[in-house]
Amino acid sequence: MRRIAALYSGLSYQYRSWNEPKYRKYIADIVYIPDMEDDSLAGFDVVLLPSRLHTGLLAKVKPMLDQFAANGGTVVVFWPNDAERIVPNQNWEDRPTNFWWWLDKNAKSGIEQRNPEHNLYKYITLQDATWHYHGVFWPEGDVVPLVVTEDGGALVYVDKTSTAGTWVVTSLDPEFHYGSYFMPATERFLDGLFPWLAEGEL
Amino acid sequence: MEKHRIAVLDVKVGVMGEVGGSSGYTYIDMYDLPNIPLEPYACLVIHGSSDQEFLLKHKDVVANFLNQGKVVLFGGQLFRPWLPGGSSFVPRTIRSHLDYHIAVAKAHPIFADVDPIELTYKKGVAGFFARGHHPVPAGAEVLLTLPDGEPTLYIDRSSTKGTLMVSSGYNLLGYRDGNTTRSIGERVEAWIAQEYNLLQQGVHIQ
C-alpha cells in the first residue's frame, strides 16, 4: 500500500475527513502544514493537498510539493484556491458555481466522462464525481482527462508528463463537503479515491 | 460604534458564506492573532474555516480579549477546546430535509419578523444553515434550535467577562439576503455595539 500523507491546516472539515476511520486506514500520516519542514514529505508516496488553504500556507507548501513531484511522488490536489500557482502546466478558469443544476427540469450536470477504461473508474463512477464545481483546468501538457465539462474543461485529470511525478488534479472539493456533513456524492467519491490512491493504478 | 472596531480573523481563502458582511471591518490574518494588539477592537469574528489547532495554542488570546468586556462571534464546527464555554460539534442524523428545520427558540430583536423557513431553505434546499449543534455552557441564552431542540445559536455571558455568540453554522454577520432575513447581518452588528457598550459600562445582562 502506498504511503499517503494528508496535509492538514487545522480546519474542522479536514479533521473530520482525514480522521474518519474508513479513510484514516489509508492515510500513513496527517501532516500539519504550519509545522512542516523541508523534509516533512520524505518517505511518502502520495501527498494529498486539501482545498481552501490559507494562501500563506499554500506558498509555504508549494516548493515542497514541486520537490516531491520532482522526486517521482504523486501529488493529489483538491480544488486549490490558488490553482494557477499550485498546479503545473495548466490554465485555471474560475466558473460561476451553479449549486442548483439538479433542481432544473431535465437536470443535466454538464459533466462528462473521459477515458472510461481508466483504473480510477474501477473505484468511482461518474455520478460519484458529480456535484457543483468552482472552475475548470485547461491542461497544456499530455494529460489523461477523466471528468470534463461539456466544453472540455477538466474537472479531474492525471498529469504524468509535466513533472517527473504524477499530479492527480481535481476542481472538486470532496473533503470540504464530507467533512462539513454535507452532500452524499462527496462521500462516495472519497470512498473510491482513497483505495485507488493506496492500491490502484495511478 | 465604528465598523472598523469589529475585527475579522481572515482565513485567507475567501470561503463562501463567510464574508464578513459590509465592508469597513478590520481584517487580521488569523496567524497574526498572537502578534496584533487587540485593544482597538470591540469584537472578534472567528470563521469556521479557521485553524483550530492554532486557536487552541493561542486560546489565552481569545479568553483575554473576552475578559476585557468584549464580544466574540464564532460560526462553525468546533472540534478543539479553544473557545471559552465551547463544546465539540455534534452532527444531527439527517433522515430528511425536515431534520434541518430551524426554529426561533426565544424572541430576540435579531430575529424579529424573520421567517425560520427562510433560514432553513435556500431555493427549496435545506441544510445550508446548520447540520448539528454545540452543547451549550450553563447559563447560555439559546436563540435558534434544530427540531429536537438542539441549540444552533447561543449567547454566552457566563463563561467569561465578555459575551460570545456561537453558531454551529456560519456566523450571522454576513447574512444580507432574503426577504425576511436580509436585516440579520445589520442587526447582529447593532447587537455587537449594544452588547459591547453594556459590557464596558459593567452592566450584567440577564
Side-chain angles (χ1 to χ4, degrees):
Chain A
M1 194 162 93
R2 295 185 188 92
R3 284 179 54 79
I4 299 175
L7 301 191
Y8 167 62
S9 63
L11 310 192
S12 60
Y13 32 88
Q14 297 165 354
Y15 183 83
R16 185 204 178 200
S17 290
W18 297 166
N19 287 289
E20 158 59 43
K22 66 179 172 177
Y23 306 141
R24 187 67 182 85
K25 68 181 180 187
Y26 292 110
I27 297 172
D29 206 357
I30 297 170
V31 179
Y32 180 56
I33 300 171
D35 288 345
M36 281 177 79
E37 296 175 2
D38 288 345
D39 62 351
S40 291
L41 296 178
F44 294 105
D45 305 303
V46 178
V47 57
L48 185 46
L49 184 77
S51 67
R52 295 175 168 79
L53 284 180
H54 182 284
T55 50
L57 297 184
L58 270 181
K60 171 179 177 166
V61 84
K62 168 64 175 161
M64 299 180 200
L65 297 178
D66 287 343
Q67 189 58 51
F68 187 76
N71 293 341
T74 296
V75 181
V76 183
V77 180
F78 291 161
W79 179 45
N81 42 306
D82 199 357
E84 286 289 353
R85 202 151 55 111
I86 294 300
V87 182
N89 208 19
Q90 53 76 37
N91 292 302
W92 167 260
E93 180 190 346
D94 270 321
R95 289 271 171 97
T97 301
N98 180 8
F99 295 104
W100 317 105
W101 61 268
W102 49 283
L103 294 177
D104 298 338
K105 268 187 187 169
N106 307 315
K108 195 172 172 214
S109 66
I111 293 174
E112 298 178 356
Q113 189 177 34
R114 291 286 183 278
N115 295 298
E117 74 290 349
H118 190 275
N119 189 248
L120 176 63
Y121 285 121
K122 293 195 168 30
Y123 293 83
I124 67 164
T125 67
L126 180 65
Q127 285 68 39
D128 298 342
T130 302
W131 65 90
H132 65 263
Y133 53 93
H134 301 273
V136 297
F137 297 94
W138 296 98
E140 296 194 327
D142 183 17
V143 308
V144 181
L146 295 171
V147 181
V148 299
T149 53
E150 285 170 316
D151 61 349
L155 300 182
V156 182
Y157 71 93
V158 177
D159 181 354
K160 294 189 173 202
T161 58
S162 296
T163 66
T166 301
W167 289 74
V168 178
V169 179
T170 178
S171 57
L172 302 172
D173 49 357
E175 93 295 2
F176 169 72
H177 290 285
Y178 176 75
S180 305
Y181 302 88
F182 208 22
M183 295 184 14
T186 62
E187 180 171 3
R188 298 194 298 269
F189 184 87
L190 291 173
D191 285 352
L193 185 78
F194 273 107
W196 177 66
L197 290 174
E199 298 164 350
E201 295 165 35
L202 302 185
Chain B
M1 192 188 76
E2 303 94 335
K3 286 176 184 282
H4 64 81
R5 299 202 64 202
I6 295 177
V8 179
L9 283 196
D10 193 347
V11 295
K12 298 274 185 188
V13 287
V15 174
M16 287 167 301
E18 294 195 344
V19 288
S22 59
S23 59
Y25 305 140
T26 303
Y27 286 81
I28 297 172
D29 187 325
M30 75 154 295
Y31 288 110
D32 286 337
L33 178 65
N35 309 317
I36 296 276
L38 296 174
E39 287 76 19
Y41 308 112
C43 174
L44 202 52
V45 179
I46 306 178
H47 287 318
S49 292
S50 297
D51 181 343
Q52 295 192 35
E53 306 291 353
F54 185 83
L55 289 168
L56 180 62
K57 199 170 162 187
H58 299 286
K59 65 177 188 174
D60 290 350
V61 177
V62 177
N64 290 341
F65 182 82
L66 281 158
N67 282 326
Q68 303 301 312
K70 295 182 174 183
V71 180
V72 166
L73 250 60
F74 173 75
Q77 299 176 353
L78 292 170
F79 69 96
R80 290 285 188 239
W82 57 271
L83 188 69
S87 295
S88 287
F89 177 78
V90 181
R92 183 175 166 89
T93 300
I94 302 300
R95 295 187 179 85
S96 91
H97 60 97
L98 298 175
D99 285 305
Y100 289 123
H101 270 220
I102 296 293
V104 177
K106 182 181 175 185
H108 191 281
I110 292 173
F111 298 106
D113 300 321
V114 168
D115 181 357
I117 289 292
E118 206 178 348
L119 288 175
T120 304
Y121 290 94
K122 277 189 181 178
K123 298 195 186 188
V125 179
F128 286 91
F129 194 82
R131 300 178 287 280
H133 77 285
H134 299 109
V136 300
E141 180 184 355
V142 175
L143 299 188
L144 298 176
T145 53
L146 284 166
D148 290 318
E150 307 98 313
T152 70
L153 183 73
Y154 69 83
I155 294 171
D156 173 12
R157 299 187 178 95
S158 307
S159 298
T160 67
K161 293 177 186 168
T163 299
L164 295 114
M165 179 182 272
V166 180
S167 165
S168 56
Y170 295 122
N171 79 68
L172 297 177
L173 198 55
Y175 224 117
R176 310 277 163 162
D177 58 0
N179 290 324
T180 67
T181 53
R182 66 173 64 244
S183 299
I184 289 176
E186 283 173 21
R187 291 173 181 174
V188 170
E189 199 176 300
W191 173 84
I192 290 167
Q194 181 190 33
E195 193 74 18
Y196 174 71
N197 288 335
L198 291 170
L199 286 165
Q200 293 297 310
Q201 289 163 23
V203 177
H204 185 73
I205 305 162
Q206 289 300 324

